[in-house]
């Protein structure tokens, strides 16, 4: 949830011509991380793992969006590195959760 809010604030500084392009894509990808987890949670373990995978794909998309923003000089190197660190932490948490769910299913 927090990363989506960070990205939302960040893209407000992007040029207006990016409003329906990179800004929108970055916001949607960042929001999709939390939304996929929330959508998959109440379902079966298999459904939850599927949604965790989608959330990881969205996190990977955020890496590309941040890199594009840096290359277009919308953010500096430090901000890109900060984004990457946050995304890496999120991805590790989601991967760990997915692993625990899969291990639990193997025991049952």
């Amino acid at each position: 949830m927090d990363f989506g809010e960070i990205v939302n604030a960040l893209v407000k500084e992007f040029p207006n011509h990016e409003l329906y392009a990179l800004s929108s894509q970055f916001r949607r990808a960042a929001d999709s991380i939390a939304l996929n987890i929330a959508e998959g949670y109440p379902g079966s373990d298999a459904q939850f793992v599927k949604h965790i995978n989608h959330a990881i794909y969205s996190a990977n998309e955020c890496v590309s969006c941040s890199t594009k923003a840096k290359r277009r000089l919308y953010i500096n190197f430090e901000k890109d590195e900060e984004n990457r660190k946050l995304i890496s932490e999120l991805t590790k948490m989601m991967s760990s959760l997915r692993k625990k769910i899969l291990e639990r299913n193997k025991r049952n």
Side-chain angles (χ1 to χ4, degrees), residues 55-90:
I56 291 170
Y57 303 150
S58 293
N60 291 339
E61 187 176 353
C62 287
V63 172
S64 294
C65 289
S66 187
T67 301
K68 284 194 159 289
K70 181 184 75 172
R71 288 183 175 190
R72 294 176 185 178
L73 305 177
Y74 304 156
I75 62 173
N76 61 25
F77 174 82
E78 290 78 17
K79 189 61 186 174
D80 182 47
E81 287 297 307
E82 183 181 327
N83 289 339
R84 287 170 176 274
K85 181 181 175 190
L86 291 170
I87 295 164
S88 177
E89 289 176 26
L90 287 168

Side-chain angles (χ1 to χ4, degrees), residues 47-63:
Q47 283 290 344
F48 194 22
V49 167
K50 181 181 109 175
H51 281 86
I52 291 169
N53 286 336
H54 289 302
I56 291 170
Y57 303 150
S58 293
N60 291 339
E61 187 176 353
C62 287
V63 172

